Structures are given as C-alpha cells and as structure tokens.
Amino acid sequence: MLRPVLPLAALAALAACAYPYTPPALSPVTQPAPPATGAPYTTAAVPPAVQEARAPVTILISIDGFRPDYLDRGVTPNLSRLAATGVSAAMRPSFPSKTFPNHWTIVTGLRPDRHGIVANSFIDPARPDETFTMASDDPFWWNAAEPIWVTAQKAGIRTATMFWPGANTAWGGVRRAGGHGEVDGGTRPSDWQQFNQAVTGEQRVAAVIDWIRRPAATRPRLVTLYFDTVDSAGHAYGPGDARTTQAVAAVDAQVGALVQELAALEQPANLVIVADHGMAATSSSRVIALDQLVAPADARVFEAGPYASFYPATGRDAAVRAALLRPHAHMTCWAKGDVPARFHYGANVRVPPYLCLADDDPGGAWSIEKTAPAGPRAGGNHGYDNEAPDMRALFIANGPAFARGKRIGDFDNVDVAPLLRDLLGLPAGQALDGDDRPFRGLLRR
Ligand code: AMP
Ligand code: ZN
Ligand code: ZN
C-alpha cells in the first residue's frame, strides 16, 4: 500500500487539524492521506498506522508427532488452508523416528548417525559416567553438527527460539571443568526460552508475536516454534482416538492465531511447518517380552519400545549375539555394524552394540518391552522404521517465497535445513546429507 509522500503543505494542514498526527519514525511510505478540503477528519477515514515495509521472517514450526493424514479429519481449517495455498508433502523422518534425533536433523541437514543425537537417550564412551537425556544442554552432546540458528547468527541474522531440542545449548561451547555446569564460549539464539512443557501453545504463539512486534533492529528473522500436545495425546490415546483429534484441532487454532497476528502486523512470513515423525497405534496385545529371549543379567536393555538397544554384560557378548541374531516374530535384530544401509545408522560410537526393531504392521505396531505387560493397555508410539507409512511427518511451507498449491512427493527430512538456508540467503551447507532439490522450482526469488 504505497502512497505518495505528502507535500509539506498537506502535512501542515494535517498538523493543524484535531487529529493527533505523529510523523513517521521510519521511511515515509504510508503516511495518512490528507482530509478532503473542509471535510471533518474522522477516525473512520484514518488509514493504518505508519509502518516500515517489514522484511520477511522465516518461522520454523514443529508440531511434534503430527501425521500428514491428520489434515484429513476435518478439524484443521488453518493448516489445511496453508497446505492448499502453499507447498505440502508427507515427509520421511530419519531413523530412529524419535523426537530429539529428528529435530536435530531438521535444523542441521544431517542424519542422526552423523549429527550425534542418535536417540532421545544414549551414552558416549568419552563420558562413561554420564547419560544424554532430553534435559541435557552440555554442548558436548550437540557440537558435532551446527544448527541453522547458529549459522544464521554467525551470518548476522538475528534468531529466536520458542523451544526446539538443542536450542537450550550454547552451541560450540565447552563445559568448564570443575564448574557447576557453566559453559565457556558457544553461540545461542539472540532470544531463546528454556523448554517448559507447562507453557501453553497460546503462550508460545504470544511470545513469538512479541518478538516480531519489535523494531527492526531487535526483531528476529528466523524463529522456531514447537508444539508438543499432539504427540502427547497420540502416545496417551493412540493416533485414531478422538482426543488426539481434539489436540490436532487445538494446535490448528494456535497456528491460526499466529497467522492472524502476523497479518495484523503486516509481517510477511515464510512458514515452514514440520513434524519430527508420525504415530503408530500400540497395544498390550502386540508386545515382545525381552526377558523371554535374553537373560536380564546378560545385557543392559538401554532403550525399549518401538526398538530396543542393548549393551552386553562383560563376557556375555556371545550369549547376547546368539539370543538376538536369529529370526524373531514381529521384530528384526542386528549388530550395530550390520543395520541395513537404508537406515544410515550404526557407525556412531553412541549407538549401542545391538539393535532390535519392532514391526509397524498395517494393523498396528509391535512394542519391545523388558517384560510382558501387566494389564491391557493401548496408545501410540513412534521410533519405528522411518520408511513406515505411520511414521510420515507433516510438511507445509507457505509464504511469499513459496509457490502456491503444490503437493510434492515424499522427501527425506534432511532436505529441510537446505531449504531454510535458501530462505535465509545462506550459502548451501557443506557435506550435508540433504539438499534443496525437492523445492527447486517452487521457490519464488
Ligand atoms: P518423545 O519421547 O520422542 O515422544 O518426545 C516428546 C517429548 O519431548 C515432548 O513431550 C516434550 O516433553 C519433550 N521435549 C520436546 N522438546 C524439548 C526440549 N527442548 N527440551 C526438553 N524436552 C523436550
Ligand atoms: Zn516427537
Ligand atoms: Zn512422542
């Protein structure tokens, strides 16, 4: 809405009228038009407040555990509209289809085996007394791959994270020896929030909007925003349950509020909306009990569920190998060096020596548990084969940089970071696992 700059006489006329006129602080592109001669200057005739032309912001939104087919439930007017008027796909997660490995892949463009966040929980031979958990923010765990917000900060692009796995870390820093968790050096987003599940989706959106409302000098150009309620409902009730659909509807409304607030601020935004993985239905009637296969004293079961990982006890490797590396109903086991190449998993020192993966059948997924379930239970889980249809993840891109109404073929989530680099004008990353091929021809420059 460009208007011609007002002549000085018109400004003088405006200053003389009753309406309080504030001269523009920024470039004078949208000053109010002068009232018609003699006509009263009513507020109804007042055009929008003086604003500068805002540079587009890139907002990377993760809706944890959002399967693409949740858009077909008739409860997502906002996300469905963004998909219909933007670019959308069913995205393949990386293995393992868990939260932390995939969020780190999305912001680094590397698969878990290379970026080092190989699971939601793992150990490293270099730190034998510590375990990585979802609360670990020591850069030691994260430093193998640079996240997009660090690349952006280094390039002078201001970033802000309203939650994202790894965003609580001073990336590239070093934990002080003998200290109390202090980190020397490292790069953080200019603005970031310590993860807290109790902060509601509405509050997260409001925090992002508060950042975007700032003057240009302190306004972020890359923002992350994370929602966890769809994943939580999917685990608790299963993907097909009405309460999961309710959670889907609620997060859709939160995304709708974000879009509306951006429009009210006249803030152009390139939204890249992703999920880290999908969700499969689980049941106590589909459980593989490990104590029937491996003597508990023979191996430490490190993780269990959609997949199980094992550290054999000292001197018990042959027994564990014999117990696991044979055919099993509803799961397949490998020594870490023999995991099929398509998983791109097993070279990292943080991957345990043995891995068993449960089947995600069309009728429901199997679970690997230490013992048989105590009673009936149904719900949902993820962590299965990243090629499984249930594990597909939401992808929607919408904004001035994107073509409209393009449904594209499935692609791997390692391609999201290269896309973000394009949006921010950063050079293509070196030796990444993904590239921007799925989006070529869909970006408007
Ligand atoms: P998952 O066990 O793979 O389903 O992980 C999902 C859970 O990860 C969510 O319910 C959150 O509580 C947790 N989570 C997500 N982001 C973070 C974060 N930045 N820091 C700590 N926990 C997180
Ligand atoms: Zn997740
Ligand atoms: Zn989950």
Side-chain angles (χ1 to χ4, degrees):
M1 55 151 91
L2 287 172
R3 286 201 181 82
V5 177
L6 295 179
L8 275 177
L11 281 175
L14 266 177
C17 81
Y19 180 72
Y21 174 74
T22 315
L26 295 149
S27 61
V29 289
T30 56
Q31 293 172 0
T37 315
Y41 199 75
T42 64
T43 44
V46 175
V50 173
Q51 288 179 3
E52 95 276 34
R54 285 169 166 257
V57 59
T58 297
I59 308 183
L60 174 64
I61 303 174
S62 165
I63 310 178
D64 199 314
F66 197 114
R67 252 171 37 181
D69 61 286
Y70 289 173
L71 293 181
D72 304 330
R73 296 187 176 183
V75 298
T76 53
N78 296 293
L79 289 165
S80 295
R81 185 176 44 76
L82 291 169
T85 60
V87 177
S88 64
M91 185 167 71
R92 256 187 312 271
S94 298
F95 187 82
S97 49
K98 291 271 192 175
T99 296
F100 270 53
N102 278 285
H103 276 90
W104 205 233
T105 289
I106 288 164
V107 295
T108 62
L110 294 178
R111 295 199 175 88
D113 225 22
R114 289 187 65 210
H115 69 47
I117 304 299
V118 300
N120 282 348
S121 176
F122 55 86
I123 55 178
D124 188 310
R127 292 271 184 97
D129 300 330
E130 294 180 35
T131 299
F132 174 89
T133 70
M134 293 197 277
S136 298
D137 56 10
D138 181 342
F140 165 77
W141 302 107
W142 302 92
N143 278 349
E146 184 175 280
I148 185 83
W149 58 79
V150 171
T151 315
Q153 289 283 143
K154 287 178 177 172
I157 297 170
R158 193 176 171 108
T159 71
T161 50
M162 188 60 228
F163 304 158
W164 197 273
N168 303 343
T169 298
W171 190 88
V174 177
R175 187 176 63 180
R176 197 174 303 160
H180 296 92
E182 301 93 330
V183 170
D184 292 319
T187 304
R188 293 180 186 275
S190 294
D191 296 284
W192 57 281
Q193 294 283 330
Q194 181 69 39
F195 179 71
N196 183 343
Q197 201 160 10
V199 177
T200 65
E202 288 81 1
Q203 289 169 325
R204 298 176 197 193
V205 168
V208 167
I209 289 298
D210 282 346
W211 284 331
I212 291 184
R213 202 175 276 127
R214 288 177 179 172
T218 51
R219 184 187 311 146
R221 280 189 43 215
L222 170 66
V223 174
T224 73
L225 171 60
Y226 169 80
F227 297 105
D228 44 21
T229 43
V230 169
D231 179 72
S232 302
H235 283 294
Y237 312 121
D241 193 274
R243 289 164 288 187
T244 301
T245 305
Q246 271 168 24
V248 166
V251 91
D252 181 80
Q254 289 154 16
V255 171
L258 175 75
V259 170
Q260 220 169 32
E261 298 264 19
L262 290 168
L265 289 172
E266 297 187 23
Q267 172 63 62
N270 289 308
L271 305 182
V272 178
I273 307 175
V274 298
D276 47 352
H277 50 69
M279 188 64 68
T282 54
S283 163
S284 49
S285 65
R286 294 188 297 272
V287 169
I288 302 148
L290 285 175
D291 59 355
Q292 312 291 307
L293 298 173
V294 189
D298 280 352
R300 174 182 182 195
V301 179
F302 194 80
E303 286 188 288
Y307 66 88
S309 59
F310 306 82
Y311 284 95
T314 309
R316 301 304 297 159
D317 186 72
V320 172
R321 176 173 282 269
L324 294 180
L325 302 188
R326 58 185 179 80
H328 301 278
H330 314 299
M331 73 171 183
T332 310
C333 303
W334 304 278
K336 67 181 279 188
D338 298 329
V339 175
R342 69 180 181 82
F343 291 101
H344 300 279
Y345 197 67
N348 198 293
V349 292
R350 297 173 174 182
V351 176
Y354 293 97
L355 182 76
C356 296
L357 179 61
D359 293 344
D360 180 5
D361 294 337
W366 288 79
S367 302
I368 308 171
E369 297 180 11
K370 288 186 183 176
T371 56
R377 183 162 38 82
N381 214 346
H382 52 86
Y384 297 96
D385 187 337
N386 57 318
E387 293 277 359
D390 281 339
M391 296 297 104
R392 287 287 195 280
L394 179 74
F395 177 88
I396 300 171
N398 191 303
F402 293 101
R404 294 171 67 82
K406 300 283 184 191
R407 176 84 189 166
I408 61 173
D410 301 2
F411 64 90
D412 293 331
N413 66 352
V414 289
D415 297 334
V416 174
L419 167 65
L420 296 170
R421 297 177 81 105
D422 287 350
L423 292 174
L424 295 169
L426 293 167
Q430 293 297 304
L432 300 185
D433 287 329
D435 58 46
D436 64 2
R437 257 176 298 181
F439 317 104
R440 289 186 196 153
L442 298 173
L443 291 177
R444 298 198 253 164
R445 298 180 195 267

